[in-house]
Amino acid sequence: MRIYVADKSDTLRKIAQKFHINLSDLIALNSRIPDPDHPLAGFPVYLPLDPSYSEPGSIYVTPAPVSEGSWIPTSSLEKMSQTEYDVLIVGTGPGGGAVLWRLCEQWRNNGKKIGVVEAGNLLLPTHARNIETMNFKRWFDLAYNSPRLKIPVAGTKFVQLIAVGGRSLVWTAVSPRMYLPPQQWPVPQWEMDMYYRIAEQAMNVSNVYTAGSPINQLFLNRLRNGRYPAAMNLPLAADLEPTRYGEIHSNVFFSSISFLAKALYRKPYDLAVLARAVQVVTEKGCVAGVHVMTPDKRSYVLKAKTVILSASTFGTPRILLHSGIQGNAIGHYLINHSAVRGTFKFNRKDYPYVLGPIGILIPETEKLPYQVLLDGPMGYQFYHDKQTPFQEEMDALIAGFGTVEPRYENKVTLDPYKRDEYGMPELQIHLDYSETDKAILGQAAEEVKRVTSVIGAPLVSLAPDEPIDGDHEAGTCRMGDDPATSATDRYGQIHGVPGLYVADNSIFPVMGAANPTLTMVALAIRTADNIIRKLK
Ligand SMILES: Cc1cc2nc3c(=O)[nH]c(=O)nc-3n(C[C@H](O)[C@H](O)[C@H](O)COP(=O)(O)OP(=O)(O)OC[C@H]3O[C@@H](n4cnc5c(N)ncnc54)[C@H](O)[C@@H]3O)c2cc1C
């Protein structure tokens, strides 16, 4: 069975004529629409799958892309709609990728069926920085300035990257652990530590990228001997292993494509691209599958015992709200990092030896609700670009990230008027800072100034982000024990809907100042383990 979204003037009788389907067959499939002349604009209508029905070419075109010859096998939605999946994952960013990898790693050939749907297309087969032609300017244009890749969300400065791999194709890969306040974080620290270790290993997180770099060591010494004994080399998700026994480590920077690849070598799964999930399907209160649409507006129902939404902090609540899933916290408690970003400069004359890169983290602590990052000189991670001209004066980046309180009034809601081309309501986003958030941001800015003074490199610029800016939004499907204040339980399962899970940044109940992806991946792996236990 397929789903067709009715046009303005459609009725069952007109659809039967349009698709050359027997009217009584159509009525039988759509028993909830008893009157064949009832206007159906915007309604989903079930059509039979039988290929003998001819379809007008103006409505349906051949779905793209084709799996043959592409760098990852893909399936068609038509084929996937004939399978009942044990697990169906929506989205292939780090959240969806991590769950997929863990399930495939643990299940191997046990007969369980896994499907994945991704709204975007195959774009890059690796992190953008692993591509040889990429230099700082080209990457900056791709990661920050490209309207083709980065799609603004609801008039804010937040962006989505709708493609296989999600935003991990261009992320900066900074991967510190987060301070998790025990009263507000429902997973015990010992368990988080265990899953952090698994996530760090899977994402190749280490702090050796800048270790031994002379300028980094000099700045670290100044910081540690000054007021920052906790200053450390920046933890990065980068595979720095040398080739051993012919095993080549050439994809240095981690992206979710690594998860998809590792999963593929453990267990086959079906992946449909250009497949936008629009609604979750439930039966008798339990999850039963997902409505998915192609860019040419074909609709399919994919059946699944378990559905995992990993469509991001904005994509996941949008699907849930559009599906009519009830939950007081769904879409609420939107959080982000407050941030100040700037540059500092130094002159090579003062450092007349091999410089090396700078990557330093002054981590958050229980008492310090912000972190400071130093990173540079500009473009240092583009190791292929051997022609970078010698410069006397060099710029490096410095940023302070502060925590933002989770508050009910910061939220995403469905726009009552505007719909996208798939008929999904657009999002409306509201996020502003509390007095506490503003105070923390002010402290982070002061700390950044002190840090540059301790390392002896003058600050050139410093400016705060707006609340609706940056890449660290989270919290719209927060986990917790109380359905009144949380959307999911402590394993990411939506309260009251067995089998429906969330695994992306939206699940954070609170967010420390650390960059979020490592913590989210650790949680996603834990969610996969819980599903494995349940589906035994
Ligand atoms: C330039 C940049 C630098 C960053 N640097 C860092 C960093 O250094 N450290 C860090 O921790 N984080 C960083 N981030 C943030 C990091 O990328 C995100 O935390 C992470 O990607 C979130 O993963 P996710 O799976 O929740 O969402 P995403 O990566 O956004 O993935 C969501 C996926 O779902 C798909 N999707 C959306 N809607 C649907 C739908 N309806 N149907 C099907 N599929 C759908 C999307 O196409 C996408 O593939 C950075 C981000 C950017 C853009």
Side-chain angles (χ1 to χ4, degrees):
M1 186 159 59
R2 288 170 297 135
I3 293 176
Y4 163 73
V5 180
D7 275 347
K8 250 189 225 154
S9 59
D10 275 338
T11 62
L12 278 190
R13 194 182 303 281
K14 285 187 185 164
I15 293 169
Q17 283 162 3
K18 193 165 12 182
F19 291 92
H20 311 290
I21 300 168
N22 195 322
L23 180 59
S24 50
D25 288 352
L26 202 57
I27 292 172
L29 275 177
N30 295 277
S31 50
R32 70 198 196 290
I33 314 170
D35 178 357
D37 297 310
H38 186 79
L40 295 174
F43 257 73
V45 177
Y46 295 119
L47 303 185
L49 252 189
D50 188 342
S52 65
Y53 292 115
S54 65
E55 297 164 355
S58 60
I59 294 188
Y60 292 148
V61 293
T62 314
V66 193
S67 73
E68 273 171 64
S70 70
W71 46 263
I72 187 165
T74 56
S75 292
S76 72
L77 283 179
E78 185 125 32
K79 199 165 149 237
M80 285 179 73
S81 67
Q82 288 155 21
T83 303
E84 173 150 12
Y85 290 98
D86 292 285
V87 174
L88 184 68
I89 301 167
V90 175
T92 58
V99 173
L100 175 69
W101 163 69
R102 187 65 171 179
L103 291 176
C104 289
E105 182 76 50
Q106 299 291 316
W107 273 347
R108 309 240 173 159
N109 297 321
N110 69 351
K112 300 268 191 230
K113 295 195 184 82
I114 305 177
V116 185
V117 290
E118 165 55 55
N121 205 344
L122 303 177
L123 186 68
L124 301 177
T126 185
H127 189 291
R129 285 187 189 163
N130 297 331
I131 297 172
E132 289 232 37
T133 51
M134 210 48 77
N135 62 10
F136 184 52
K137 182 176 179 321
R138 271 194 284 279
W139 175 79
F140 199 82
D141 287 348
L142 186 81
Y144 288 97
N145 294 334
S146 165
R148 194 167 69 88
L149 294 195
K150 291 183 72 178
I151 302 162
V153 186
T156 65
K157 291 189 172 178
F158 292 122
V159 291
Q160 291 180 320
L161 205 168
I162 303 295
V164 171
R167 286 175 293 163
S168 72
L169 295 177
V170 296
W171 76 318
T172 316
V174 176
S175 303
R177 292 190 183 188
M178 193 173 271
Y179 170 70
L180 309 166
Q183 323 74 15
Q184 290 166 288
W185 192 266
V187 184
Q189 188 66 51
W190 66 265
E191 211 182 334
M192 285 305 300
D193 288 342
M194 192 168 80
Y195 281 102
Y196 268 134
R197 282 194 288 275
I198 298 171
E200 283 163 346
Q201 190 178 356
M203 297 167 71
N204 306 307
V205 176
S206 78
N207 55 9
V208 302
Y209 194 91
T210 50
S213 147
I215 192 149
N216 206 57
Q217 198 54 53
L218 183 76
F219 285 168
L220 262 182
N221 290 345
R222 286 180 182 168
L223 288 166
R224 287 175 179 163
N225 295 334
R227 47 186 293 162
Y228 303 103
M232 60 195 279
N233 285 303
L234 194 63
L236 277 187
D239 182 0
L240 302 167
E241 285 287 311
T243 295
R244 271 187 316 210
Y245 310 118
E247 188 189 66
I248 293 168
H249 297 255
S250 56
N251 271 321
V252 174
F253 291 101
F254 174 85
S255 77
S256 185
I257 305 293
S258 300
F259 278 143
L260 302 188
K262 283 182 188 166
L264 196 62
Y265 293 121
R266 289 289 174 263
K267 178 181 181 67
Y269 55 85
D270 293 337
L271 164 68
V273 298
L274 292 170
R276 183 172 289 263
V278 291
Q279 276 177 323
V280 172
V281 181
T282 55
E283 270 171 25
K284 296 183 187 149
C286 297
V287 79
V290 178
H291 276 180
V292 186
M293 291 177 77
T294 60
D296 55 328
K297 313 302 174 301
R298 280 178 188 241
S299 282
Y300 298 89
V301 173
L302 304 191
K303 293 185 257 23
K305 294 187 190 113
T306 304
V307 169
I308 304 169
L309 298 179
S310 300
S312 85
T313 292
F314 297 126
T316 291
R318 191 175 176 201
I319 297 169
L320 289 168
L321 292 170
H322 186 45
S323 310
I325 306 280
Q326 302 296 318
N328 191 41
I330 296 175
H332 292 268
Y333 301 100
L334 174 63
I335 41 180
N336 188 16
H337 281 142
S338 61
V340 282
R341 296 172 206 261
T343 52
F344 62 94
K345 66 175 179 191
F346 54 96
N347 199 301
R348 282 195 72 110
K349 281 190 200 136
D350 302 327
Y351 305 95
Y353 37 74
V354 175
L355 278 184
I358 303 163
I360 293 176
L361 170 71
I362 299 169
E364 61 175 337
T365 62
E366 187 180 351
K367 301 233 166 68
L368 205 71
Y370 52 83
Q371 66 170 14
V372 177
L373 294 171
L374 295 89
D375 163 22
M378 300 286 203
Y380 74 101
Q381 286 170 0
F382 296 88
Y383 48 96
H384 313 298
D385 186 2
K386 306 236 167 48
Q387 298 302 314
T388 311
F390 185 87
Q391 290 166 318
E392 281 214 336
E393 198 160 78
M394 307 192 91
D395 284 336
L397 302 167
I398 186 158
F401 290 137
T403 56
V404 167
E405 291 183 306
R407 288 184 299 137
Y408 186 79
E409 57 270 35
N410 285 333
K411 60 185 177 187
V412 305
T413 48
L414 297 184
D415 191 311
Y417 307 110
K418 286 195 208 147
R419 286 178 181 249
D420 69 8
E421 54 181 312
Y422 296 90
M424 274 188 100
E426 298 281 2
L427 281 186
Q428 291 180 327
I429 297 174
H430 173 81
L431 175 57
D432 61 22
Y433 292 153
S434 68
E435 290 308 313
T436 308
D437 302 335
K438 288 180 199 163
I440 291 171
L441 182 60
Q443 289 166 25
E446 289 309 309
E447 201 70 80
V448 163
K449 289 178 200 161
R450 273 194 294 272
V451 164
T452 50
S453 127
V454 169
I455 61 171
L459 196 59
V460 177
S461 63
L462 189 66
D465 279 3
E466 288 175 43
I468 47 165
D469 195 358
D471 304 299
H472 296 173
E473 68 282 355
T476 50
C477 295
R478 67 202 310 247
M479 59 175 174
D481 295 331
D482 183 356
T485 55
S486 60
T488 81
D489 68 13
R490 52 178 65 199
Y491 289 102
Q493 184 170 239
I494 292 283
H495 289 301
V497 189
L500 179 57
Y501 289 82
V502 174
D504 56 30
N505 283 347
S506 69
I507 202 168
F508 284 74
V510 285
M511 192 156 65
N515 313 51
T517 310
L518 174 71
T519 303
M520 182 269 284
V521 165
L523 288 173
I525 295 170
R526 180 175 174 273
T527 292
D529 280 359
N530 182 252
I531 291 170
I532 290 164
R533 281 193 293 275
K534 282 198 174 165
L535 294 188
K536 254 185 186 153

